[in-house]
């Protein structure tokens, strides 16, 4: 009877792939310091070569540079959204858990209502009205993403708080802070990170979809979905330029999926 | 006359292993296989029926009527009653429909019952119960449905794995009565149990398993009255009916640690699970609390510990009414020993951290070491997580943790009722010893009346209506 | 839970969400009042340089100069009466637009959902029955790939393959299966990836349950075992997963209709967004959200109907 599921093999693969993405997003644009928006109309759609490792797009912009900046853009937004959502979700779950009664009920109902909203629709509805830009996208995705974390930390937290081992520690006179630090946080954190990993993947996908649809992301911005939309008509002339952002998206989503599914977790309540 | 034989069986699964040179079960006889947990009882049941157990390796033969079985026996010749009826019944199908399957596909033409309705009357369920899904029936009712299936099924042998596990005394007696019918219907009955009460009520023959081998076998009357092996003696002496009776508490000055007066409590206002309960528990006294499953025994304990607020009535600690300041001041002196030791330790922490950071530090540092050695535990256990320690060891650690708080009042909620009798006895003995030494009050909750009679100074019973009454034993 | 309680809860949820969406769009627009008048002016009178004068005209004709709370109350009341106003771009009634485009979308979504389920359920079941085999591995990799690739990519590939290369379908004309089948297939593919995984897990899990073994002990023949005891239990996680499928359907409507240039709700939404046609945007988003909520309510009702024993 093992309560801590063993870390499965893909765990390491997921970590490596994800780290590669994060490193690329962080250091890529620094190491390959080419302006992603510099147009060179003399070498439009040129194939990969010495000057342009991945070739150029329809405006003669360096695809590798755009890919790297696109990674930074997606990763930045996705990680910001997840961090904010975890923070808001946990704080509200803590409030709901602590206060109980009406406050708890209404918080749960409110988060259920927001959770039942198809998130991308809200973003589509408001992104352009609010003027687009990274901050607006972060804000909108944050608004629709937090209920997941609220629900998770509320239900897992409730199981832990109601468990015998927390009661035993309370009877033993341990303070609330100590119980939280030793018994609640270490159990809840892997769940949050696991969900966080999968939603980073989903947000990268959502950003690409927004870029592809041309909503909320202003054109000079290097973004994978937008790159795909721009280059798809030239797929016969420049397949590599098109394949690069496609592979990048699939890579990231797959890496985070593997990571989240193989994350070892401890069951909150034992039985 | 059919017979079921095991020849040169060697079974192993994980750390368990069992060697069976030769065993013979006859039709029309009932045989109980007893032994501590970990002695390989369930392996034997699996091998005899041929049911697949993941990870079990088996060599040797199981023979039916003298010749090796040519297929798994559970399909035709052996009917298996599983350990957890709740898991063996389809949760979404009415039980009557599941019972009808036996009639349709595996009915015994010799059986007098022809319909689910007829058999359900015999096992004490009415027609409406048959329309319910398993989740709407109690554990005892689910077990009776399984027995009804076994009664009508075509099989020469019935194997029951811990059929009374988790049932209270009333349900246990019912199950034992029903099991008598297998013998009258001429089938062979093989019951795996750790409960000697069940064994002595049911068995013609008894097989005692030691660690990985057959310690003793023979007629039930002989084995139980005249044990020859160490394993049997240990089992017998740990059975509650053979525990030495606790010495009567010396009369002490009257000073109730916990006092309840006219306490009423219910999760729903209309149906109280405890009504107008009045009780005083003195220091140094062990009070037993008896009641059927679901009667609110644990809630009563929680009320005494101020973990629940009564709807009406007074709860007092040391003679003063409860208020938050008093509770805060005395919190660690009112402790609880949980039913399941596994759930009472945080799953993510190494045990040492639990003892160092989440346990009251007593002034005398030696107490822990003393208790550890008294209970036969070594320090290296503390470097493990709860899931890396056996249930018995964990129960002992839970006791140590509770006693380190030096409680004035201790609620023991069915301590280790899911573990062996030996662990159960140890748990209760250590607590009784502590209670008399430090004159602390103990509320011992159990559904096993024998345990309470042997260990408690007074025994109260909660009825289904929530009435508390003192039981008298002459 | 009783049926009445279930319906009441769903109704409350739908009401809350309607008000939530209406409030979101209202405040987003009106917290920037000059901005919106200018933007509407720019959208309506495209070609001319938007200026203050035009903005004022717009402001008056849309009642943007009234006190903001009055406008808000008006907006909410209108929303609840399903009166979303008129499109800023075309001047047509938004409800009419929704009805017109909704028909188109409903048809593809309905058949796409049916086709997706018809694709996913047998795939998942076969994978579960032959778990660990080569067939299982191939189907697993395929469905994992489908579910990882964003649906706009799937749509692009479908267009390239069936429309451009093979010429088996067209991108013009609104009705007729010659055009629709690619759309339906694309929607089906994009939802079947994850759904077939869910079916596979559900079937494998239920086959490992101890009650399945005990049913065999009771003599239930092996060929009847799954249908008798497994189906109803395996269905539950699949039904619970349906809201996610509906969510994907909504996203697919938007993305796939845009790629295929199919005049449905999603296509209209993207155009409205690009033109900043706020009444139309709000109406379309609400229509899609309500459609989604109706689907989840239906699946909840179905779940309730099948497992109502358990609720008591």
């Amino acid at each position: 009877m093992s309560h801590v599921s063993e870390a499965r093999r893909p765990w390491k693969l997921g970590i490596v792939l994800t780290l590669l993405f994060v490193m690329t997003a962080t250091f890529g644009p620094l190491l390959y310091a080419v302006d992603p928006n510099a147009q060179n109309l003399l070498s439009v759609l040129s194939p990969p070569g010495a000057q342009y490792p991945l070739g150029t797009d329809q405006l003669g912009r360096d695809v590798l540079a755009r890919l790297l900046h696109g990674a930074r853009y997606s990763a930045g937004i996705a990680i910001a959204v997840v961090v904010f959502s975890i923070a808001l979700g946990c704080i509200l779950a803590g409030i709901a858990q602590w206060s109980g009664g009406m406050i708890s009920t209404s918080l749960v109902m409110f988060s259920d209502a927001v959770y039942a909203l198809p998130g991308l629709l809200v973003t589509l509805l408001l992104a352009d009205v609010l003027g687009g830009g990274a901050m607006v996208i972060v804000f909108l995705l944050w608004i629709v993403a937090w209920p997941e974390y609220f629900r998770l930390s509320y239900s897992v937290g409730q199981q832990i708080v109601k468990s015998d081992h927390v009661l035993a520690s309370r009877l033993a006179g341990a303070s609330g802070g100590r119980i939280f630090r030793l018994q609640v946080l270490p159990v809840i954190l892997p769940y949050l990170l696991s969900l966080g990993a999968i939603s980073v993947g989903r947000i990268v996908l959502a950003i690409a979809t927004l870029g592809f649809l041309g909503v909320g992301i202003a054109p000079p911005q290097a973004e994978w979905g937008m790159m795909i939309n721009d280059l798809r008509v030239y797929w016969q002339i420049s397949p590599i330029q098109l394949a690069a952002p496609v592979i990048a998206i699939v890579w990231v989503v797959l890496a985070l999926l593997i990571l989240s599914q193989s994350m070892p977790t401890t069951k909150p309540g034992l039985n | 006359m059919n017979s079921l034989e095991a020849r040169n069986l060697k079974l192993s699964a994980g750390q368990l292993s069992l060697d069976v040179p030769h065993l013979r079960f006859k039709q029309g006889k009932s045989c109980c296989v007893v032994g501590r947990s970990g002695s390989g009882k369930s392996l034997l049941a699996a091998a005899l029926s041929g049911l697949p157990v993941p990870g079990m390796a088996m060599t040797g033969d199981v023979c039916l009527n003298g010749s090796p079985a040519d297929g798994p026996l559970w399909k035709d010749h052996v009917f298996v009653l599983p350990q957890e009826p709740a898991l063996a019944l389809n949760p979404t199908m009415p039980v009557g429909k599941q019972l009808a399957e036996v009639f349709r596909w595996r009915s015994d033409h010799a059986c007098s019952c022809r319909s689910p309705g007829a058999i359900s009357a015999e096992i004490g369920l009415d027609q409406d119960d048959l329309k319910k899904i398993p989740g709407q029936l109690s554990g005892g009712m689910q077990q009776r449905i399984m027995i009804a299936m076994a009664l009508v099924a075509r099989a020469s042998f019935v194997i029951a794995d811990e059929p009374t596990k988790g049932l209270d005394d009333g349900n246990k007696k019912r199950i034992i009565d029903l099991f008598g019918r297998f013998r009258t219907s001429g089938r062979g009955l093989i019951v795996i149990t750790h409960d000697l009460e069940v064994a002595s009520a049911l068995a013609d023959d008894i097989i005692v398993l030691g660690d990985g081998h057959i310690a003793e076998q023979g007629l039930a009357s002989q084995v139980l009255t005249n044990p020859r092996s160490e394993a049997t003696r240990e089992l017998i002496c740990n059975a509650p009916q053979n525990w030495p009776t606790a010495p009567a508490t010396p009369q002490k000055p009257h000073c109730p640690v916990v006092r309840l007066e006219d306490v009423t409590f219910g999760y729903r206002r209309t149906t109280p699970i405890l009504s107008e309960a009045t009780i005083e528990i003195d220091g140094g006294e062990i009070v037993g609390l008896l009641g059927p499953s679901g009667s609110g025994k644990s809630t009563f304990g929680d009320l005494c510990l101020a973990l629940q607020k009564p709807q009406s009535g007074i709860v007092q600690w040391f003679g003063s009414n409860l208020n938050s300041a008093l509770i805060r001041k005395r919190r660690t002196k009112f402790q609880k020993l949980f039913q399941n030791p596994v759930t009472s330790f945080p799953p993510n922490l190494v045990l040492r951290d639990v003892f160092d950071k989440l346990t009251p530090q007593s002034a005398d540092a030696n107490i822990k070491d003393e208790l550890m050695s008294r209970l036969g535990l070594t320090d290296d256990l503390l470097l493990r997580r709860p899931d890396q320690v056996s249930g018995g060891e964990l129960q002992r650690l839970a006791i140590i943790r509770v006693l380190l708080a030096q409680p004035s009042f201790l609620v023991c909620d069915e301590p280790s009722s899911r573990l062996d009798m030996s662990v159960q006895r140890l748990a209760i003995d250590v607590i009784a010893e502590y209670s008399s030494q430090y004159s602390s009050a103990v509320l011992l909750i159990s559904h096993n009346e024998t345990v309470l009679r042997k260990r408690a100074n007074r025994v109260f019973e909660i009825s289904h209506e929530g009435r508390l009454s003192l039981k008298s034993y002459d | 839970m009783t049926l009445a309680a279930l319906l009441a809860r769903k109704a409350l949820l739908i009401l809350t969400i309607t008000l939530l969406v209406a409030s979101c769009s209202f405040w987003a627009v009106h917290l920037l009042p000059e901005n919106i008048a200018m933007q509407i002016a720019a959208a309506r009178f495209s070609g001319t340089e938007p200026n203050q004068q035009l903005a004022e005209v717009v402001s008056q004709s849309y009642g943007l100069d009234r006190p903001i709370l009055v406008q808000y109350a008006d907006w909410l009341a209108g929303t609840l009466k399903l009166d979303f106003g008129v499109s800023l771009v075309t001047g047509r009634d938004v409800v009419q637009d929704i009805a017109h485009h909704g028909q188109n979308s409903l048809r593809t979504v309905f058949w796409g959902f049916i086709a997706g389920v018809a694709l996913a359920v047998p795939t998942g079941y076969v994978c579960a029955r032959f778990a660990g085999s080569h067939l299982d591995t191939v189907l697993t990799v395929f469905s994992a790939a489908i579910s990882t690739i964003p649906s706009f990519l799937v749509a692009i590939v479908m267009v390239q393959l069936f429309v451009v290369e093979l010429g088996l379908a067209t991108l013009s004309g609104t009705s007729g299966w010659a055009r629709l089948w690619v759309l339906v297939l694309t929607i089906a593919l994009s939802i079947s990836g994850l759904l077939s995984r869910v079916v596979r897990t559900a079937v494998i899990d239920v086959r490992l349950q101890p009650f399945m073994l005990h049913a065999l002990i009771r003599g239930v023949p092996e060929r009847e075992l799954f249908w008798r005891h497994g189906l109803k239990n395996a269905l539950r996680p699949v039904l619970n997963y349906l809201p996610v499928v509906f969510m994907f359907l909504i996203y697919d409507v938007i993305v796939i209709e845009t790629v295929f240039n199919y005049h449905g709700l999603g296509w209209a939404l993207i155009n409205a967004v690009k033109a900043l046609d706020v009444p139309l945007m709000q109406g379309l988003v609400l229509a899609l959200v309500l459609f989604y909520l109706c689907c989840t309510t239906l699946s909840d009702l179905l779940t309730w109907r099948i497992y109502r024993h358990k609720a008591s």
Side-chain angles (χ1 to χ4, degrees):
Chain A
M1 177 162 63
S2 171
H3 296 298
V4 181
S5 61
E6 286 164 34
R8 280 156 285 172
R9 232 177 341 126
W11 165 245
K12 280 181 188 152
L13 180 69
I15 289 263
V16 170
L17 290 177
T18 310
L19 271 183
L20 261 171
F21 167 55
V22 175
M23 302 279 272
T24 311
T26 321
F27 301 113
L30 300 177
L31 294 176
Y32 187 75
V34 173
D35 182 2
N37 296 328
Q39 301 183 0
N40 181 357
L41 296 175
L42 292 177
S43 58
V44 170
L45 296 172
S46 63
Q51 197 191 349
Y52 301 112
L54 284 177
T56 56
D57 66 5
Q58 81 285 3
L59 294 175
R61 295 174 293 193
D62 189 324
V63 170
L64 178 61
R66 291 185 71 73
L67 199 66
L68 295 174
H69 279 88
R72 174 175 279 186
Y73 183 78
S74 301
I77 290 181
I79 291 170
V81 170
V82 168
V83 169
F84 289 159
S85 302
I86 289 182
L88 183 65
C90 288
I91 290 170
L92 289 182
I95 292 173
Q97 195 76 257
W98 192 260
S99 53
M102 275 300 287
I103 298 177
S104 166
T105 317
S106 47
L107 269 175
V108 169
M109 273 180 62
F110 181 65
S111 86
D112 278 353
V114 179
Y115 183 73
L117 272 175
L120 200 59
L121 281 183
V122 178
T123 320
L124 281 177
L125 177 68
L126 298 180
D128 267 3
V129 176
L130 294 180
M135 293 319 286
V136 170
I137 301 283
V138 167
F139 176 71
L140 291 176
L141 290 174
W142 178 35
I143 283 181
V144 289
W146 67 268
E148 257 184 313
Y149 298 90
F150 173 82
R151 289 158 66 98
L152 181 77
S153 44
Y154 185 72
S155 68
V156 176
Q158 200 164 38
Q159 280 181 61
I160 301 175
V161 167
K162 281 187 176 167
S163 69
D164 284 352
H165 61 83
V166 166
L167 181 56
S169 299
R170 264 173 57 206
L171 288 177
S175 68
R178 176 171 288 193
I179 291 176
F180 179 78
R181 198 160 41 81
L182 291 172
Q183 289 174 262
V184 182
L185 195 61
V187 177
I188 235 172
L189 207 55
Y191 283 90
L192 289 174
L193 291 180
S194 168
L195 179 61
I198 204 164
S199 68
V200 165
R202 264 186 291 175
I203 291 168
V204 168
L205 210 64
I207 295 168
T209 307
L210 287 176
F212 177 80
L213 293 171
V215 176
I217 298 163
Q221 175 65 47
E223 199 286 324
W224 293 346
M226 212 184 298
M227 288 167 74
I228 294 173
N229 197 24
D230 288 344
L231 288 163
R232 60 188 255 235
V233 276
Y234 310 107
W235 72 282
Q236 276 167 316
I237 316 168
S238 46
I240 292 177
Q241 284 93 319
L242 179 59
V246 170
I247 292 170
I249 290 176
V250 173
W251 167 309
V252 171
V253 177
L254 202 63
L256 289 157
L257 193 74
I258 295 172
L259 184 65
S260 77
Q261 292 200 341
S262 56
M263 186 131 4
T265 50
T266 312
K267 283 183 192 153
L270 297 175
N271 258 324
Chain B
M1 183 74 68
N2 283 327
S3 71
L4 189 63
E5 261 177 287
R7 288 182 192 158
N8 298 321
L9 270 186
K10 284 192 203 308
L11 309 168
S12 65
Q15 292 179 332
L16 294 179
S17 68
L18 183 64
D19 248 354
V20 184
H22 186 251
L23 271 182
R24 191 179 152 90
F25 301 96
K26 285 194 287 278
Q27 233 184 320
K29 291 274 186 187
S30 67
C31 175
C32 282
V33 180
V34 295
R36 292 192 309 152
S37 58
S39 57
K41 296 179 302 232
S42 295
L43 285 186
L44 183 62
L48 289 174
S49 61
L51 276 176
V53 172
M56 185 174 90
M58 166 179 159
T59 59
D61 287 316
V62 174
C63 305
L64 189 73
N65 303 331
S67 55
D70 47 358
L73 291 173
W74 55 267
K75 283 195 170 159
D76 260 321
H77 303 284
V78 173
F79 193 91
V80 179
L81 283 171
Q83 226 182 63
E84 308 273 355
L87 298 180
L89 289 165
N90 181 347
T92 55
M93 188 187 267
V95 287
K97 228 173 145 186
Q98 301 188 51
L99 184 56
E101 288 177 341
V102 187
F103 281 95
R104 178 160 167 205
W105 281 297
R106 201 182 170 168
S107 73
D108 184 3
H109 298 295
C111 178
S112 55
C113 291
R114 282 274 160 259
S115 72
I119 190 79
S120 71
E122 277 189 47
I123 55 166
L125 294 181
D126 53 39
Q127 297 291 328
D128 286 344
D129 290 333
L130 291 183
K131 295 198 184 88
K132 291 180 180 164
I133 56 166
Q136 294 167 317
L137 299 176
S138 72
M141 285 161 134
Q142 289 170 355
Q143 186 63 277
R144 275 183 275 154
I145 286 282
M146 301 305 293
I147 292 173
M149 289 173 177
L151 280 172
V152 292
R154 180 176 70 245
S156 335
F157 289 90
V158 172
I159 299 182
D161 196 354
E162 300 278 8
T164 56
K165 193 180 185 183
L167 298 182
D168 57 37
D169 279 348
N171 274 312
K172 204 153 102 180
K173 284 203 186 76
R174 262 209 179 106
I175 301 290
I176 291 174
D177 284 347
L178 284 172
F179 269 37
R181 288 168 185 252
F182 290 115
R183 231 180 324 181
T184 50
S185 70
R187 292 195 186 96
L189 177 64
I190 302 166
V191 177
I192 313 262
T193 183
H194 68 248
D195 189 336
L196 284 191
E197 253 180 278
V198 175
S200 58
L202 273 177
D204 298 317
D205 300 305
I206 277 190
I207 295 163
V208 182
L209 297 187
D211 286 327
H213 63 281
I214 296 176
E216 193 174 350
Q217 56 177 311
L219 288 175
S221 48
Q222 273 174 11
V223 172
L224 289 178
T225 50
N226 196 4
R228 279 170 301 154
S229 74
E230 193 49 45
T232 321
R233 271 194 286 274
E234 197 193 305
L235 275 177
I236 291 175
C237 113
N238 281 326
Q241 61 268 36
N242 300 327
W243 291 3
T245 319
T249 30
Q251 284 298 316
K252 279 200 214 131
H254 183 66
C255 61
V257 178
V258 169
R259 187 165 167 276
L260 268 65
E261 195 182 312
D262 290 333
V263 167
T264 299
F265 182 86
Y267 291 103
R268 265 170 293 170
R269 206 156 273 281
T270 46
T271 48
I273 55 175
L274 192 70
S275 65
E276 291 167 12
T278 300
I279 193 172
E280 275 180 6
I281 305 175
D282 287 343
E285 185 187 34
I286 299 179
V287 169
L289 185 62
L290 189 69
S293 321
S295 60
K297 301 189 292 286
S298 298
T299 310
F300 181 81
D302 288 350
L303 283 163
C304 295
L305 289 171
L307 296 174
Q308 293 279 7
K309 267 202 170 120
Q311 264 141 22
S312 65
I314 300 167
V315 180
Q316 290 183 330
W317 282 0
F318 298 115
S320 38
N321 285 3
L322 280 187
N323 56 48
S324 49
L326 176 69
I327 293 175
R328 214 173 310 127
K329 190 173 154 214
R330 301 281 188 180
R331 180 74 280 170
T332 60
K333 294 296 166 199
F334 289 76
Q335 287 288 337
K336 177 172 179 176
L337 186 64
F338 292 89
Q339 178 172 11
N340 186 350
V342 179
T343 60
S344 54
F345 283 95
N348 56 316
L349 291 183
V350 174
L351 289 163
R352 171 180 287 167
D353 284 345
V354 179
F355 280 97
D356 287 351
K357 295 172 183 163
L358 293 166
T359 306
Q361 303 302 316
S362 69
D364 187 355
N366 293 326
I367 289 183
K368 186 174 118 198
D369 297 336
E370 262 171 47
L371 279 168
M372 289 281 281
S373 61
R374 157 93 173 73
L375 291 171
L377 299 171
T378 49
D379 266 346
D380 59 304
L381 277 181
L382 295 179
L383 297 176
R384 304 192 201 162
R385 279 199 314 265
D387 59 313
Q388 296 161 328
V389 176
S390 79
E393 288 165 335
L394 210 53
Q395 178 67 71
R396 283 176 268 174
L397 287 166
I399 294 172
I400 295 175
R401 186 179 176 201
V402 164
L403 294 187
L404 280 177
Q406 307 253 304
S408 317
F409 176 67
L410 179 58
V411 172
C412 303
D413 191 354
E414 313 240 13
S416 50
S417 64
R418 287 173 177 274
L419 297 172
D420 261 304
M421 277 301 168
S422 56
V423 181
Q424 223 178 108
R425 176 172 178 195
L426 183 75
I428 294 173
D429 280 355
V430 171
I431 287 159
E433 205 173 286
Y434 169 83
S435 155
S436 68
Q437 194 178 344
Y438 293 92
S439 68
S440 65
V442 174
L443 178 70
L444 187 56
I445 299 174
S446 178
H447 61 234
N448 187 328
E449 193 170 356
T450 323
V451 168
L452 295 183
R453 264 175 74 177
K454 291 288 179 180
R455 276 296 173 273
N457 304 116
R458 287 185 292 160
V459 177
F460 286 85
E461 184 169 25
I462 296 188
S463 66
H464 270 301
E465 295 77 40
R467 298 271 166 200
L468 195 65
S469 58
L470 183 64
K471 284 198 86 135
S472 59
Y473 299 109
D474 300 314
Chain C
M1 200 187 322
T2 62
L3 183 58
L6 180 75
L7 287 176
R9 233 182 52 181
K10 282 287 156 187
L12 187 66
L13 187 69
I14 289 175
L15 186 70
T16 319
I17 288 182
T18 309
L19 292 179
L20 218 64
V21 171
S23 305
C24 268
S25 50
F26 179 85
W27 289 111
V29 172
H30 290 81
L31 284 181
L32 321 151
E34 288 154 344
N35 192 359
I36 184 66
M38 287 288 258
Q39 279 177 345
I40 294 171
R44 281 220 71 173
F45 308 99
S46 54
T48 56
E49 191 68 22
N51 57 37
Q52 199 54 43
Q53 208 183 343
L54 269 179
E56 266 165 34
V57 173
V58 168
S59 188
Q60 270 175 13
S61 66
Y62 291 100
L64 297 179
D65 48 354
R66 290 176 296 162
I68 194 126
L69 284 177
V70 175
Q71 287 186 56
Y72 182 51
D74 206 36
W75 181 279
L76 289 189
T79 305
L80 289 182
K81 281 185 281 183
L82 295 181
D83 167 21
F84 305 119
V86 293
S87 162
L88 298 185
V89 176
T90 60
R92 268 196 311 234
D93 191 0
V94 168
V95 177
Q96 259 177 9
D97 263 19
I98 290 175
H100 174 68
H101 291 122
Q103 266 181 350
N104 287 340
S105 285
L106 207 57
R107 185 190 283 163
T108 48
V109 167
F110 178 75
W111 290 111
F113 177 71
I114 300 283
V117 171
L119 202 62
V121 172
T123 312
Y125 183 74
V126 165
C127 281
R129 272 318 265 264
F130 304 104
S133 67
H134 290 300
L135 182 66
D136 178 31
T137 316
V138 169
L139 288 174
T140 301
V141 168
F142 182 71
S143 54
I146 287 281
S147 59
T148 319
I149 298 170
S151 53
F152 64 86
L153 278 179
V154 178
I156 291 176
V157 171
M158 298 295 277
V159 169
Q160 280 302 334
L161 190 64
F162 290 109
V163 181
V164 179
E165 296 295 315
L166 298 175
L168 291 175
T170 62
L171 278 189
S172 53
T174 43
S175 58
W177 282 100
R179 179 178 192 197
L180 287 184
W181 73 268
V182 197
L183 268 157
V184 168
L185 184 62
T186 312
I187 294 177
L189 271 182
S190 95
I191 60 168
S192 65
L194 280 172
L195 189 58
S196 69
R197 306 284 74 208
V198 174
V199 172
R200 178 181 182 268
T201 317
V203 173
I204 288 182
D205 279 356
V206 89
R207 284 163 63 85
L208 289 175
Q209 292 294 315
F211 66 76
M212 294 290 270
L213 179 63
H214 200 267
L216 286 178
I217 293 180
R218 291 198 294 271
V220 177
E222 222 153 315
R223 60 177 188 281
E224 280 189 45
L225 181 66
F226 183 78
W227 308 113
R228 243 185 120 75
H229 290 284
L231 185 63
K232 201 168 168 183
N233 291 294
L235 205 56
R236 189 155 196 152
V238 178
L239 283 174
N240 285 344
Y241 183 73
L242 278 187
V244 181
V245 172
F246 297 141
M247 187 91 82
F248 278 115
L249 271 182
I250 298 290
Y251 296 164
D252 285 349
V253 165
I254 297 167
V255 172
I256 292 173
E257 283 180 0
T258 308
V259 175
F260 282 88
N261 195 29
Y262 179 77
H263 292 209
L265 291 175
W267 174 86
L269 176 61
I270 295 303
N271 281 324
V273 166
K274 286 186 176 158
L276 278 177
D277 189 345
V278 176
L280 187 59
M281 270 159 71
Q282 195 216 348
L284 288 166
V285 165
L286 262 180
L288 286 170
V289 169
L290 288 180
F291 173 70
Y292 164 75
L293 288 176
C294 288
C295 290
T296 55
T297 306
L298 278 180
S299 81
D300 281 0
L301 280 178
L302 189 65
T303 314
W304 178 85
R305 175 72 185 74
I306 297 177
Y307 304 101
R308 64 189 185 288
H309 261 307
K310 200 141 197 171
S312 54

